[in-house]
Amino acid sequence: MTDQPLDAVFRTKEVSKIYDVGEIQVHALREVSVSLYEGELAVLLGPSGSGKSTFLNILGGLDHPTTGRVWFRQTELTTASDRALTRYRRDHVGFVFQFYNLVPSLTARENVQLVTDVARDPMRPEEALTLVGLDARMDHFPAQLSGGEQQRVAIARAVAKRPDVLLCDEPTGALDSKTGTTVLETLRHINDTFGTSTAVITHNAAIQQMAHRVIHFQDGRIDRIDQNETQIAPAEISW
Amino acid sequence: MMQAIDKKLLRDFGRLWAQGLAIALVLAAGITVIIMSIGMSRALNESREAYYAQNRFAHIFAGARRAPDSLARDIRAIPGVLEVETQVRGHATLDIPGRTKPASGHLISYDPARPPALNIPILRSGRWPERPGEVVVNEPFAEANDFRLGTVFSVNLNGRKREVRITGTALSPEFIYTIGPGALVPQNESYGILWLPHEVLDAAFNMDGAFSHVSLALLPGTQTDDVTDALDQLLKPYGGTSSFDRSLQQSNAFLDAEITQLEVLAYILPPVFLGISIFLVNLVVGRIVLLERAEIGLMKAIGYSSWDICLHYLMLAGLIALVGIAIGVVAGSWLAHATATLYARYFDFPFLVFGVPSSIYAASALLALAATSLGASRSAIHAARLAPAIAMSPPAPPNFRRSIFDRAIDAIGFSQPARMILRSLTRWPLRAATTLFGVALAVAILVASSFFPDAIDDIIDKAFYQSNRQDVLLLFDPDVPLSGIADVRRLPGVLQVEPQQYHAAILRHGHLEKRLAVSTVSPKNDLARVVDDAGSVVAPDATGLLISERLATALDVRVGDTITTTFETGLRETFEIPVSGVVIQYFGLGAYLDHEHLNRLFRQDPRMSTVNVTLADPIYPEAFEEAVKELPGVMGTIDMTQNRMSFSDTISQNILIVTTIYAILGSIITVGVCYNAARIQLSQRARELASLRILGFSKFDVAKVLVGEVMILVILAQPLGWWFGAEIARWMTEGFSSDLYAIPLVLKPSTYATASLIVLAAAVISTLIVARRLGQLDLIAVMKTRE
Ligand SMILES: Nc1ncnc2c1ncn2[C@@H]1O[C@H](COP(=O)(O)OP(=O)(O)OP(=O)(O)O)[C@@H](O)[C@H]1O
Ligand SMILES: [Mg+2]
């Protein structure tokens, strides 16, 4: 960790998440303690059901852990009120979701505007869409966009507020390698340009090569953490 | 620039417009009724108040046989009296050129040197009478008869015919609603108010230096009872009839009754419409929130607060309210105007403040917003409470556990589509219950409104064809000896004659009292009889009073109780008379005594105040009319045939309007409820219905599932609706009942059947519109969606 900034943007301590499904209990996370650093691009890797999304949702203030504590910089998220969590999400977090989650009744521009309307110091929606190469499709509705284009709108929406952290849940899951690459390049570009701390979940082990660190999940626990001394550009990743 | 979330709102609303409109119409119906009923009752009330204030409508009224003018000073000295107006008043039959049917007039003295200080008439055209031979008539009478200034007609003043020339027309706050003696609705053509120079009436009625009518204005806060008591004391020696306040002044009492009716409407109907709107909004917004879980989660994830989300869905409902308000305000104003026009025909105001007060518009808009907000609140709060992470994962599929119902369904062995219908009913009980309840209310509104025509038929039948079967009524004033009947019998064209007496009286029981006319009946009567609600003839026993049920209620008496009866005629004696019977009647507060018994009580030779006559030719023969005018003591004749006709005409017109409006309102509810129920059902079960199509069921089979479910609910709702309707009708008849009249509760099988047919038709049409969408169902898209 020599040339990594040592300030932790996220810190978790023995975070567990247990879902009660009828009689059985699902341990989605088991006492996870880890830190993510400022400006870092971390990849979360692991088999399906290993708890990656659950972990990311907790970092993003979308969900509460059953036990354990989570800090964003100096602020403890686990004791924050709902109102404070809403402010936190609005002011600091950019999300990119596994299923894009665009509002079908709003155009690309308006989907981005949904965020810029409430953010403190946002880009213009057009600017964000240009960043992801969608300047030509701004007034199209989600139904008129391809999957990759929708995902890029989702990314534009996430970055438009100039977030401190960018949390992406399988941003390339539904995409072919070419569009996947474009999306990853966008993320990398934003990480490089704005120094936004970024966490990306993926099933694709090849993607790990573009990260500073790779966090392996297994069965609700962190299995191991790999450090990449050098990062490959997304275009060079072999899918 | 518009916020993105607001654009979403508008687009969502645009997508929902048909459902939104269906709800908005129901809401609009409620607002329409509020604006019409409260608006019009306020308008009537305010017009009346303004008119009364400007024209100094008196507070107390009394009549006397002949009171000296000097008594006015003593009356003015009664504590609390502000102003006194004395006049000579009388009745007369009129002889109008070109008119054979009888007409009569209420005569009021007018002194140009001392214009009235109370009940000030407004001159509408021409000038006041200045010398004998001149007359001012009330404007509606002039209009109905096509009189111009200068028209001449004659007045039979106490047996002497005098020609008078019209110099002007006027309106008076005392005669906003003008009905002649014996009439049930205003008949302006045959009854007029006439202002004649005072010396003419003084001479005709021998009233020089005397008056026969007095009106008082009181200082604010004066106890009217104290004043009426003092006034009665003063007038007693001069043949005073007991004084009364505004509540018993005829024109004012009719206005009171009308205003009460409007208020009853305002209390009964709008809550029904608003209630249904609440249910519908609840259903529709609930459905939307369920469908938009992912979007809600997203909005929360990117930093919209719970309140933002809650507001978003409240505003969606608010948009529905806005549409409803817009439609309701337009329809309400229109209906208020239509009603006002109708009122202008019955009520003679110099001005009618037609405008519905803006506070009513504001209040109804607020009510509409409150109703939709309330309807949306459950779902909006649920949306606001959704945790973002949960919201974005697909909702748990509806719990399809096997219930007792399912086992029952299996046991009976229904077809698949029938099973689907029954399952859906048990799975979404709230939607089923809402639909059922809403449709039941629609049926109820129709039952409660369409019972009116039957009720009126019943009234007309009882009042005109069973109780009062005379063609003509001759009024004598004062009473004349019964021997005069022979003269009437000799009139040309007369078949039957039957004498009757009417005596003004005050009936007291404990602290309760009512003023009315006690009429006499004899067991021999064939023309004027007392008929109960079942249609059988009843008569007072030899010594007791037979009274109408509403009078019994008003005085709190039962058969066997004694009523203290003070007559204002004859020797003005007071008797304790037992109640021998109670009869249900719809007009007035009736009290009947046996003819012979009254004569004994009065210790007088038999007399008569009216004679009921049947004619060989019910179309009024001129010869008869001419002969009547020569008969001494006849104050007026009442053409009952004409009376019957104008009552039925007036009422049937009004009824047609009212029932049409209610039929529309009932259909609106049905469409609003059924259309939304079917749309939501289609949305909830699109997958299921699409699977049926994929499995090879025809469009028709699938439509049967959709339509079938709604129709089962609609049919189940009928009995409930009949029951609600009967209850609402009962409330309305109770609310409408006044001393002047009551409306019987007549509910026939045809009333229920008509209501059900209208609702069934509206339900079939609205579900078929939704079923057409099945044709556009994109099978593949439906199967691929997450839900
Ligand atoms: N709302 C929930 N209720 C019950 N169990 C849940 C819920 N959400 C997640 N789980 C369970 O928690 C575990 C972890 O889920 P999570 O979504 O974090 O996995 P993941 O690593 O993101 O998987 P994938 O790669 O498939 O997205 C899984 O076993 C999942 O079934
Ligand atoms: Mg996941």
Side-chain angles (χ1 to χ4, degrees):
Chain A
M1 272 190 210
T2 43
D3 51 17
Q4 291 295 337
L6 287 177
D7 296 341
V9 63
F10 286 115
R11 200 153 58 81
T12 70
K13 193 169 172 233
E14 290 162 14
V15 164
S16 294
K17 179 76 184 181
I18 301 165
Y19 291 108
D20 279 313
V21 187
E23 265 101 85
I24 43 164
Q25 291 195 330
V26 179
H27 287 259
L29 291 175
R30 298 169 196 263
E31 308 202 328
V32 173
S33 301
V34 73
S35 294
L36 301 184
Y37 301 106
E38 294 281 4
E40 168 181 57
L41 195 160
V43 161
L44 279 59
L45 214 60
S48 179
S50 56
K52 306 178 299 288
S53 295
T54 307
F55 183 67
L56 208 68
N57 285 346
I58 289 172
L59 293 188
L62 296 183
D63 213 346
H64 297 277
T66 313
T67 57
R69 302 171 73 182
V70 179
W71 288 267
F72 167 74
R73 292 181 181 153
Q74 311 320 323
T75 321
E76 181 168 359
L77 297 180
T78 25
T79 55
S81 66
D82 254 12
R83 184 190 296 265
L85 279 182
T86 301
R87 284 210 70 82
Y88 159 67
R89 290 197 298 266
R90 175 153 72 196
D91 297 341
H92 303 289
V93 187
F95 272 106
V96 180
F97 300 99
Q98 194 167 358
F99 303 104
Y100 325 144
N101 279 313
L102 299 183
V103 176
S105 57
L106 296 178
T107 62
R109 187 205 308 265
E110 290 159 355
N111 262 288
V112 178
Q113 196 199 332
L114 202 56
V115 168
T116 57
D117 279 342
V118 291
R120 267 192 313 198
D121 172 32
M123 308 175 192
R124 286 182 303 108
E126 294 76 10
E127 206 179 321
L129 283 165
T130 311
L131 211 59
V132 297
L134 276 181
D135 29 340
R137 315 296 301 270
M138 287 201 232
D139 293 319
H140 289 220
F141 284 95
Q144 301 165 322
L145 297 172
S146 76
E149 285 162 343
Q150 290 185 45
Q151 190 62 294
R152 279 188 278 157
V153 174
I155 292 172
R157 186 176 60 191
V159 300
K161 68 163 70 155
R162 307 183 206 276
D164 297 322
V165 295
L166 197 53
L167 306 175
C168 313
D169 193 346
E170 300 194 38
T172 58
L175 307 178
D176 64 59
S177 63
K178 186 169 171 295
T179 12
T181 310
T182 325
V183 165
L184 290 176
E185 268 173 345
T186 316
L187 290 178
R188 176 62 181 276
H189 172 71
I190 286 154
N191 177 250
D192 284 349
T193 326
F194 303 106
T196 313
S197 318
T198 308
V200 182
I201 294 179
T202 182
H203 278 272
N204 188 330
I207 293 175
Q208 61 186 280
Q209 299 164 50
M210 65 175 261
H212 296 114
R213 285 198 303 162
V214 181
I215 302 169
H216 294 268
F217 274 76
Q218 182 76 51
D219 207 10
R221 286 182 230 273
I222 294 184
D223 192 34
R224 65 177 204 284
I225 301 179
D226 294 339
Q227 181 101 21
N228 284 338
E229 294 306 330
T230 54
Q231 293 84 38
I232 319 178
E236 294 155 34
I237 296 172
S238 54
W239 291 63
Chain B
M1 192 166 105
M2 189 187 265
Q3 299 254 303
I5 192 169
D6 296 327
K7 289 184 189 159
K8 169 180 182 304
L9 182 68
L10 289 181
R11 296 219 178 103
D12 286 349
F13 185 66
R15 207 158 33 82
L16 276 176
W17 71 268
Q19 280 173 277
L21 184 66
I23 301 175
L25 283 174
V26 178
L27 209 52
I31 294 176
T32 302
V33 176
I34 293 177
I35 290 177
M36 192 282 286
S37 55
I38 300 194
M40 282 319 298
S41 71
R42 286 269 302 261
L44 273 187
N45 227 334
E46 281 168 15
S47 303
R48 177 170 73 164
E49 286 314 312
Y51 192 13
Y52 284 179
Q54 267 174 37
N55 292 66
R56 313 204 57 199
F57 185 53
H59 296 104
I60 308 274
F61 309 82
R65 226 180 264 297
R66 191 179 191 288
D69 284 343
S70 58
L71 196 67
R73 228 185 31 241
D74 300 336
I75 297 175
R76 197 167 284 117
I78 298 172
V81 171
L82 177 67
E83 190 94 54
V84 176
E85 180 65 49
T86 60
Q87 287 167 328
V88 177
R89 293 195 177 189
H91 279 277
T93 56
L94 309 178
D95 221 348
I96 295 163
R99 183 183 165 87
T100 49
K101 295 188 175 174
S104 63
H106 181 79
L107 315 178
I108 301 177
S109 64
Y110 188 88
D111 184 352
R114 195 183 60 85
L118 295 179
N119 310 321
I120 304 169
I122 297 181
L123 196 65
R124 301 285 286 175
S125 67
R127 59 169 175 78
W128 289 110
E130 280 159 9
R131 57 191 72 84
E134 293 183 345
V135 68
V136 160
V137 298
N138 62 323
E139 194 178 28
F141 179 58
E143 280 170 358
N145 284 297
D146 248 340
F147 289 156
R148 326 231 156 269
L149 296 186
T151 301
V152 174
F153 64 93
S154 12
V155 184
N156 299 297
L157 281 172
N158 233 355
R160 280 202 307 134
K161 203 159 158 173
R162 287 194 76 122
E163 292 218 316
V164 289
R165 201 170 51 79
I166 297 177
T167 61
T169 57
L171 286 176
S172 156
E174 262 184 295
F175 303 100
I176 297 174
Y177 189 83
T178 320
I179 56 175
L184 299 167
V185 290
Q187 283 167 261
N188 291 327
E189 219 178 307
S190 59
Y191 185 69
I193 311 298
L194 277 60
W195 284 270
L196 292 157
H198 69 112
E199 59 265 35
V200 175
L201 294 188
D202 283 355
F205 297 106
N206 184 27
M207 285 284 180
D208 211 3
F211 64 89
S212 65
H213 184 273
V214 60
S215 318
L216 312 183
L218 303 183
L219 290 165
T222 310
Q223 271 309 118
T224 44
D225 290 355
D226 299 343
V227 179
T228 49
D229 288 349
L231 182 60
D232 288 349
Q233 243 13 80
L234 286 175
L235 287 175
K236 200 170 185 176
Y238 307 103
T241 54
S242 64
S243 51
F244 53 91
D245 63 10
R246 286 180 177 182
S247 69
L248 290 172
Q249 202 268 344
Q250 193 188 46
S251 156
N252 188 62
F254 266 96
L255 274 164
D256 278 343
E258 189 62 39
I259 290 168
T260 311
Q261 276 197 22
L262 286 167
E263 282 166 356
V264 168
L265 277 189
Y267 292 133
I268 291 182
L269 291 180
V272 172
F273 290 108
L274 292 178
I276 294 175
S277 311
I278 293 173
F279 277 120
L280 291 179
V281 169
N282 183 16
L283 275 190
V284 171
V285 177
R287 182 65 196 157
I288 302 288
V289 166
L290 199 65
L291 288 178
E292 293 193 346
R293 280 169 64 99
E295 293 170 44
I296 294 163
L298 170 86
M299 289 193 284
K300 297 197 86 173
I302 60 182
Y304 283 87
S305 66
S306 299
W307 168 242
D308 293 332
I309 307 287
C310 185
L311 194 66
H312 180 66
Y313 289 100
L314 287 181
M315 277 164 67
L316 183 65
L319 285 178
I320 296 176
L322 283 187
V323 176
I325 291 167
I327 300 174
V329 162
V330 171
S333 310
W334 174 81
L335 197 61
H337 240 272
T339 320
T341 320
L342 206 62
Y343 282 150
R345 277 173 40 197
Y346 304 113
F347 297 115
D348 305 319
F349 282 100
F351 52 87
L352 189 46
V353 187
F354 280 156
V356 177
S358 50
S359 58
I360 298 296
Y361 285 116
S364 59
L366 279 181
L367 269 178
L369 279 171
T372 52
S373 303
L374 188 65
S377 59
R378 197 179 64 100
S379 305
I381 290 171
H382 173 70
R385 287 223 180 112
L386 277 176
I390 308 276
M392 273 182 294
S393 57
N399 209 346
F400 272 66
R401 245 177 282 140
R402 282 174 62 82
S403 64
I404 302 174
F405 280 107
D406 292 294
R407 276 189 277 276
I409 291 166
D410 286 346
I412 299 169
F414 283 113
S415 67
Q416 275 312 319
R419 274 169 204 237
M420 287 176 65
I421 289 176
L422 292 174
R423 287 235 170 88
S424 150
L425 290 180
T426 51
R427 205 128 290 142
W428 286 284
L430 183 69
R431 170 162 55 79
T434 305
T435 312
L436 190 91
F437 190 68
V439 172
L441 284 176
V443 176
I445 292 263
L446 288 170
V447 168
S449 59
S450 53
F451 94 97
F452 267 109
D454 293 333
I456 299 296
D457 277 351
D458 191 52
I459 289 184
I460 292 178
D461 183 55
K462 294 275 160 51
F464 289 138
Y465 295 99
Q466 298 190 38
S467 303
N468 299 298
R469 313 198 292 180
Q470 66 278 56
D471 294 329
V472 177
L473 208 108
L474 298 182
L475 307 174
F476 291 88
D477 186 35
D479 301 353
V480 295
L482 189 58
S483 55
I485 195 89
D487 296 331
V488 179
R489 191 173 281 122
R490 271 198 298 275
L491 294 173
V494 169
L495 284 186
Q496 277 174 290
V497 293
E498 212 173 80
Q500 240 188 324
Q501 294 184 54
Y502 286 94
H503 295 282
I506 299 182
L507 275 58
R508 290 196 181 84
H509 179 249
H511 65 282
L512 302 167
E513 63 171 63
K514 282 286 168 195
R515 310 160 45 88
L516 42 88
V518 174
S519 41
T520 65
V521 283
S522 93
K524 301 192 298 272
N525 276 14
D526 182 43
L527 301 181
R529 315 182 298 175
V530 184
V531 173
D532 68 13
D533 58 329
S536 32
V537 177
V538 284
D541 70 1
T543 56
L545 268 172
L546 173 67
I547 61 174
S548 70
E549 190 217 10
R550 272 173 308 123
L551 180 58
T553 311
L555 293 178
D556 190 25
V557 291
R558 263 160 289 278
V559 172
D561 289 346
T562 308
I563 294 180
T564 310
T565 309
T566 307
F567 286 99
E568 310 208 303
T569 53
L571 299 171
R572 299 168 176 270
E573 288 171 301
T574 300
F575 303 97
E576 297 293 330
I577 309 181
V579 176
S580 73
V582 173
V583 58
I584 294 178
Q585 285 187 315
Y586 306 123
F587 280 115
L589 296 176
Y592 307 89
L593 263 184
D594 183 73
H595 199 84
E596 304 297 325
H597 184 57
L598 184 113
N599 287 332
R600 272 197 302 278
L601 284 179
F602 274 45
R603 300 186 297 283
Q604 67 182 10
D605 285 340
R607 303 184 74 84
M608 60 186 193
S609 23
T610 64
V611 178
N612 301 305
V613 177
T614 53
L615 298 171
D617 178 7
I619 309 298
Y620 217 73
E622 202 166 336
F624 173 80
E625 176 65 13
E626 289 307 316
V628 165
K629 283 170 193 161
E630 307 307 318
L631 216 60
V634 174
M635 178 196 85
T637 52
I638 294 167
D639 183 345
M640 289 298 282
T641 313
Q642 174 66 35
N643 233 346
R644 266 166 221 143
M645 271 166 23
S646 57
F647 183 75
S648 330
D649 281 359
T650 318
I651 296 291
S652 59
Q653 254 183 18
N654 293 359
I655 290 234
L656 188 69
I657 297 171
V658 170
T659 45
T660 310
I661 290 172
Y662 282 82
I664 294 171
L665 294 182
S667 309
I668 285 175
I669 294 186
T670 314
V671 171
V673 170
C674 294
Y675 182 78
N676 272 301
R679 277 300 295 269
I680 288 173
Q681 191 198 351
L682 180 62
S683 148
Q684 276 170 344
R685 307 175 67 197
R687 268 173 91 88
E688 216 178 327
L689 297 175
S691 335
L692 280 184
R693 290 275 287 124
I694 291 167
L695 292 176
F697 283 85
S698 70
K699 267 183 202 168
F700 180 73
D701 290 329
V702 178
K704 269 199 312 203
V705 175
L706 186 75
V707 176
E709 180 183 333
V710 177
M711 292 319 285
I712 283 179
L713 291 172
V714 169
I715 288 165
L716 288 178
Q718 300 305 317
L720 191 63
W722 297 333
W723 179 61
F724 282 172
E727 285 301 302
I728 294 179
R730 200 170 50 72
W731 286 341
M732 297 221 280
T733 54
E734 279 168 15
F736 285 175
S737 160
S738 66
D739 282 1
L740 299 171
Y741 51 82
I743 291 170
L745 185 59
V746 181
L747 290 164
K748 293 185 182 164
S750 64
T751 310
Y752 294 116
T754 316
S756 291
L757 281 179
I758 294 177
V759 166
L760 284 172
V764 168
I765 291 169
S766 47
T767 36
L768 282 181
I769 292 173
V770 176
R772 269 168 46 105
R773 290 180 163 261
L774 277 174
Q776 300 151 13
L777 207 60
D778 179 345
L779 298 185
I780 297 164
V782 167
M783 297 312 286
K784 275 206 295 203
T785 49
R786 288 207 298 178
E787 206 199 352

